[in-house]
Amino acid sequence: MKGYHDMGGEPAGPVPREEKELALWEKRVEAMHVLLSRRGMLLTDESRRALETLGADVYLGSTYAERRIMATANNLILKGVITVDELASKLGEIERRPAQLP
């Protein structure tokens, strides 16, 4: 059975070829993923499994970077590196900051 994340061969029209400048937060998501991978805290198979189990609505309704950070957070929670409470606390702290970075 084909998963919602397996879009190979599906009609989708032409692929946009223009360059898109990544936002700072998107660059940080990628940098964090690379660093965690290099330290052995995230494995390729774990990352893929986490992406593929986000659920169809989340997966199809999110950008690449959004999916990547959710999958990374889920893996870090499953491994006991962070807790749900720690993540929620940090996210709340970020939301309360007076000035957001561009």
Side-chain angles (χ1 to χ4, degrees):
M1 184 172 145
K2 188 171 170 178
Y4 55 85
H5 52 80
D6 184 5
M7 297 178 190
E10 294 292 322
V15 175
R17 297 277 184 187
E18 67 273 358
E19 291 290 325
K20 177 190 175 281
E21 180 65 30
L22 296 176
L24 180 60
W25 76 269
E26 292 170 308
K27 293 176 183 178
R28 288 179 173 172
V29 166
E30 191 59 28
M32 182 175 60
H33 192 271
V34 168
L35 291 171
L36 289 167
S37 295
R38 285 186 182 168
R39 296 186 112 192
M41 297 175 78
L42 287 178
L43 303 176
T44 301
D45 293 340
E46 294 169 334
S47 296
R48 182 174 179 173
R49 181 207 42 83
L51 284 168
E52 293 174 354
T53 57
L54 288 172
D57 291 340
V58 172
Y59 188 91
L60 299 172
S62 304
T63 67
Y64 177 81
E66 289 169 337
R67 289 191 300 263
R68 188 94 146 163
I69 195 63
M70 286 185 274
T72 299
N74 287 343
N75 273 329
L76 294 176
I77 290 167
L78 286 172
K79 290 180 165 210
V81 176
I82 60 173
T83 67
V84 172
D85 290 340
E86 289 170 333
L87 179 59
S89 175
K90 188 63 173 180
L91 290 173
E93 177 188 318
I94 291 168
E95 288 176 357
R96 289 188 296 276
R97 290 180 186 166
Q100 296 295 316
L101 294 173

